[in-house]
Structures are given as structure tokens and as C-alpha cells.
Amino acid sequence: MIELKHISKRFGDLVVLDGVDFEVRQGETVALLGPSGVGKSVLLKHINGLIHPDAGEVWVDRMKVGALKRKELSRLRSRIGYVFQNGALFDSLTVFDNIQLGITDEAASEDEVYCRDRVRQCLDHVNLPPETAHKYPAELSGGMRKRVGIARAIAGQPTYLLWDEPTSGLDPVNADIIDSLVEKLDDELGVTSVVVTHDVRGAFRVADRIALLRDGRIRAMGTPAELRASTDPAVQQFLERDLTIPVAH
Amino acid sequence: MESHSVTLDVRRLVGRFSLRSTSHVGRVSYLLLEMARAVPEWRIWMPRMFEQASNVGYGSLFIVGLTAGFAGAVTSLQAGYQFTGSIPVYFAAGVIVESIILELGPVLTALVLAGRIGARYAAELGTMRVTEQIDALESLGRSSVSHLVLPRVIAGTLMLPVLVVFADLVGIGAGWVAAKGSLEMTNADFTYGAQYFFKTWDLWYSMIKAFAFGLAITIVPCYMGFSTQQGAEGVGRSTTAAVVSASVLILFLDAALAKVLLKT
């Protein structure tokens, strides 16, 4: 379970998060919606301690992230897969080495046979052929890089997956493929997911619950049906832009 | 009214400068602490350190040799210009050898490497920072310091003394050849002059300087690269700042070590 309690964060004079309360229950997929630049990715990075809050507390599995020692934080992070917006692949390493770095169990990462099998499995999960393993990130398209990023995030068999704008910058066909992947992986791997996105349609497709971040706070949170029925003008204004066609969940 | 606003501006500038300096000192100290904590993780940094050491050492031989060779030859020619009249010719050999061992070898090598290695480290780590590769490494539960910083700092710090010895040999060799050509100095004169002024401590002094410069040209660029913000422009800014700061630090360390170690 992930709990963010009264999180505040500012960069210089800019207040990004202003007392955010946010909770993700075990096994569910929560989409965090909001316009670009509102602080969604900043909020996501609080969960695995990549960013520390100025005020407030982050709890994951009843552990206070800010109070963890170096090794404890490292252990926690190894159970949280993080899919970065632009893949964040290590460009000097092949796809194989990138995914192998995602195998966070020390003993497993030194077992060559296990690593080879696991990399192949992960590539298969994200619908990439095994030959991709020998390529460098620069040789891949944007959509393929995102999928390799996903393969790296799931290589360590995490219990949580944090998705940072998984469909941004992709054409509608590739965005659809990634949305299907999010659904498929959440079902197959049984992970708890937080999906940060500004793609309303994608959020309604993959999420059990949706939260809308606006003006540094969670403006609304609920199931897709609850959000669609919301009378809050800010929520309606945001949803109307993309939900002109009803989407079945 | 005008003087009042000027006073305020000066105060603001001083305030900002103090805050930024304190922040840099704090963050560098934190990086040093993280490096100390990462030392026991030798299985991670050791293989990467050898890779970096090969790049710093072998990759810098040409430029270091070229710089030292020209420095030695020019020192020799200038000594020939200055040492005229009744001054014995072997004095020039002493000046050439001592100048190269005590000053030119370590300082020129460090300045060349501040450009070559410092810029590379800052640009590499800066690009990794802005493309979230460092965040990705940390999000996998791996220490970015033991994977990225420690191998670079140790490789650079260990290789600089080796390169300084190489620079000393090339510089003295070039100076010797130039002295024979322009000063008509015999081999016997050169070796006599070189030995007459040489003390073993000079070599130690040169190595201590090289070691200190090695720390400066690796820690500063790694810190600058790690602190990079705002895309390609930020990487450019960090790289420039890394080379300038490392070069200035080398000059300060040079003066400080001369004062402390030579007790002048």
C-alpha cells in the first residue's frame, strides 16, 4: 500500500505540491491525471524516494520512505518498478544489459542462464522480438524504447509499478499498444500501479481509480464512473477535452 | 534614492553568492560522504574503474606527451636565452629538470586533463542526469555513486601521477635534446646539472601535487555533472563550469601546496 500524507514540495518560488494526500491500495491501478507541468511526475518520484518532500510523509508497505537507511531504501526501490517518460535507457549499454540491470536480486543477476531467460521473458511480455536484445537504444524507435523501459522495470519482478507518462509522445496506434500493455501487465503480474498521464482516455481505460491533480492538490479522486459523474466544473472541464467518446472500462 | 538601491543590490548579490557557496559546499560534502560509503561496494566500482583508468591513462598519452615535450623544449630554449655570460651551462640543465618535475609536469598535465577528462565526466554525467538515466539507476535500487562517480574519481586520481611521471620523462627528454641543439650542452653537462640540483623529495612533491590535482579534476566535474539541470543548455553550462572550476582549483592547490610543502 502506498500512502502520501500532506506532501508539499516547492522548487525555488514555485509551489508544485501543496499538501497532497494520496492513497493506493494493494493490487489496484490508480491513474494520476492532470495538465502538463502540474507536478504529476514530481509526485510519482516521491513514492520511491527519488525526490524528498519539503513537508509531509510518504509510506510504502508501512515503511516511512524518508526515514529509511541507504540499504533499506535500496531494497524498497528494488520492489518498485519505474517506467520513465522517455525510457531513460542507458545509452552506452545494449537492450540486454539495460534489462539485466533491472534484475535487482543480487544472486539472480549473477546467474547468466537466469539473466538470459529473464531478459527474453521480459521482451516477450512487452511484445518485442528476442533479437532486440543486441541492439543499442539509439537503434530503436520511440515506442520500442518505451517498451524496453517497461521490460527493464518488470525484470526485477516488482510488487509496484510506477508509470510516468507511458503514452506521451507516441502516435495513437503506439499509445494504444502501450495502454494494452499496462492493462496486460497489471493483470498478469498482479502489481499495484500508479499511472501518471495527461491522456484522459488512456486513464479511463487502465485505471481502477483516477485522481485529478490541480493547483498542487488532489482535486478529485474516485472510480472512472464517479469521476465522470462529478459536478466539479474543474473536473468536467478537464475530462470534456478528451472524453467526447464514451469509453467503457 | 539611487545609492540606496545600489546598496540593496550589493547586499542581495553578496547574500545570493553566500547562499550558493554554502549550498555547493554542503552538496560536495554530501557527495564525498556518499563516496566514502560506497567504497566497500568494490565489486561494483572496481571493474568500471579499470575501464575508466584505461581511458584516462592510455587515451591521454598523446596530448600529455605533446604538451610536456613542447614545455620541456621551450624551457630549454628560454634557459639558453637567460643563462649567458659567466653562468656555467650545467645550471640550465638543473633549471630545466627542476622546472619540469616541480611545476610544469604536474600543472600542465592536470590542466590538460581538466579539459579532456573533466569536460568528458561533466558532459557524460550531466547528460545522464537530464535524460533521467541517473534517476533510473537509483530507481533500480543501485547506487549512482558506486556505479558512476567512484570509478571515475579513483581512476582519474590514480592515473594522474602515472601521467605526470610520463610527462616528466618526455619533458626532460625534449629539454635535453633542445639543450644539446641550442646551448651546445654535452650529455655530461646535462646529467651533472640535473643531479646537482635534484633531491628525492622533489619527486614526492610532484606526486603529491599530481594526486591532489587528480582529486580536483575528477570530483569537481562529477559534482557539476550530477547537479546538471535544464537539458542541453544545462549540460553545456555544467561542462564549462567544471573545466573552469577544476582549472582554478588546480592553480590554487598549486600555490597552497608550494607554500605548505616547500616551506618557502
Side-chain angles (χ1 to χ4, degrees), chain A residues 12-202:
Chain A
D13 294 334
L14 180 71
V15 178
V16 180
L17 302 174
D18 185 18
V20 170
D21 288 297
F22 184 68
E23 184 190 291
V24 184
R25 299 176 203 127
Q26 211 65 37
E28 74 172 346
T29 299
V30 173
L32 186 60
L33 271 176
S36 297
V38 80
K40 305 186 293 293
S41 301
V42 170
L43 184 62
L44 200 67
K45 284 181 178 173
H46 277 84
I47 296 175
N48 65 351
L50 286 177
I51 293 180
H52 297 288
D54 297 334
E57 293 171 358
V58 180
W59 291 77
V60 178
D61 286 347
R62 293 181 187 163
M63 285 183 286
K64 190 176 167 189
V65 175
L68 293 177
K69 293 196 175 120
R70 199 166 170 256
K71 287 209 165 151
E72 292 168 335
L73 181 62
S74 174
R75 268 198 296 275
L76 175 69
R77 282 175 173 169
S78 69
R79 291 193 288 115
I80 303 176
Y82 197 113
V83 180
F84 285 84
Q85 193 169 350
N86 295 310
L89 301 179
F90 305 112
D91 40 25
S92 58
L93 303 180
T94 62
V95 167
F96 181 93
D97 294 333
N98 263 284
I99 300 175
Q100 191 182 13
L101 264 179
I103 301 171
T104 45
D105 181 88
E106 211 173 306
S109 68
E110 283 169 13
D111 180 343
E112 271 185 43
V113 179
Y114 174 83
C115 287
R116 231 184 0 255
D117 289 347
R118 185 69 191 142
V119 169
R120 206 173 34 233
Q121 248 174 33
C122 292
L123 283 173
D124 185 50
H125 268 308
V126 296
N127 306 327
L128 284 173
E131 307 85 73
T132 318
H134 309 295
K135 294 191 171 169
Y136 282 89
E139 299 173 274
L140 306 175
S141 68
M144 287 169 91
R145 273 203 290 273
K146 288 222 177 193
R147 281 190 270 171
V148 174
I150 297 169
R152 183 179 65 189
I154 60 172
Q157 298 177 315
T159 37
Y160 296 97
L161 266 179
L162 308 179
W163 305 78
D164 191 358
E165 303 274 11
T167 57
S168 78
L170 295 180
D171 59 83
V173 176
N174 267 311
D176 240 22
I177 293 172
I178 298 287
D179 279 339
S180 312
L181 261 177
V182 176
E183 275 183 306
K184 179 184 136 187
L185 292 175
D186 285 348
D187 290 345
E188 282 180 8
L189 307 176
V191 290
T192 303
S193 282
V194 182
V195 186
V196 154
T197 183
H198 58 256
D199 170 18
V200 178
R201 209 172 296 178

Side-chain angles (χ1 to χ4, degrees), chain B residues 18-246:
Chain B
S18 313
L19 276 175
R20 282 178 65 177
S21 306
T22 314
S23 156
H24 280 306
V25 169
R27 285 188 290 172
V28 169
S29 309
Y30 183 72
L31 181 66
L32 292 176
L33 187 68
E34 284 291 299
M35 280 165 55
R37 282 175 177 166
V39 169
E41 294 166 0
W42 59 271
R43 279 159 55 129
I44 295 169
W45 60 257
M46 186 84 84
R48 291 168 177 84
M49 187 270 287
F50 284 122
E51 215 173 280
Q52 294 291 337
S54 150
N55 182 276
V56 176
Y58 181 69
S60 306
L61 280 179
F62 174 73
I63 187 68
V64 166
L66 191 75
T67 311
F70 272 98
V74 172
T75 309
S76 186
L77 296 175
Q78 288 180 351
Y81 169 72
Q82 287 173 304
F83 287 68
T84 52
S86 59
I87 301 172
V89 74
Y90 67 81
F91 264 58
V95 169
I96 295 164
V97 171
E98 289 298 284
S99 304
I100 287 170
I101 292 179
L102 294 177
E103 182 69 8
L104 294 176
V107 173
L108 288 181
T109 306
L111 287 173
V112 165
L113 286 200
R116 188 180 178 272
I117 300 302
R120 183 188 169 126
Y121 283 3
E124 276 177 357
L125 296 180
T127 306
M128 290 186 79
R129 171 62 78 195
V130 298
T131 55
E132 293 186 306
Q133 290 178 53
I134 292 176
D135 279 351
L137 198 60
E138 285 173 358
S139 77
L140 294 168
R142 296 173 190 275
S143 156
S144 53
V145 172
S146 36
H147 277 77
L148 302 172
V149 178
L150 208 53
R152 285 172 168 81
V153 170
I154 293 179
T157 309
L158 291 183
M159 288 318 289
L160 198 65
V162 177
L163 286 169
V164 166
V165 170
F166 172 71
D168 288 350
L169 292 174
V170 173
I172 291 169
W176 192 339
V177 171
K180 280 173 76 175
S182 65
L183 302 177
E184 293 170 3
M185 193 189 289
T186 63
N187 287 344
D189 279 339
F190 192 89
T191 46
Y192 177 75
Q195 285 171 357
Y196 186 80
F197 289 99
F198 180 77
K199 295 181 284 295
T200 316
W201 163 248
D202 298 345
L203 270 185
W204 283 109
Y205 173 72
S206 182
M207 289 301 99
I208 292 169
K209 272 169 76 160
F211 187 76
F213 295 164
L215 287 171
I217 62 161
T218 51
I219 291 175
V220 172
C222 284
Y223 166 70
M224 294 290 180
F226 248 55
S227 320
T228 302
Q229 288 174 328
Q230 292 164 358
E233 199 188 329
V235 175
R237 228 180 358 245
S238 293
T239 307
T240 311
V243 175
V244 172
S245 312

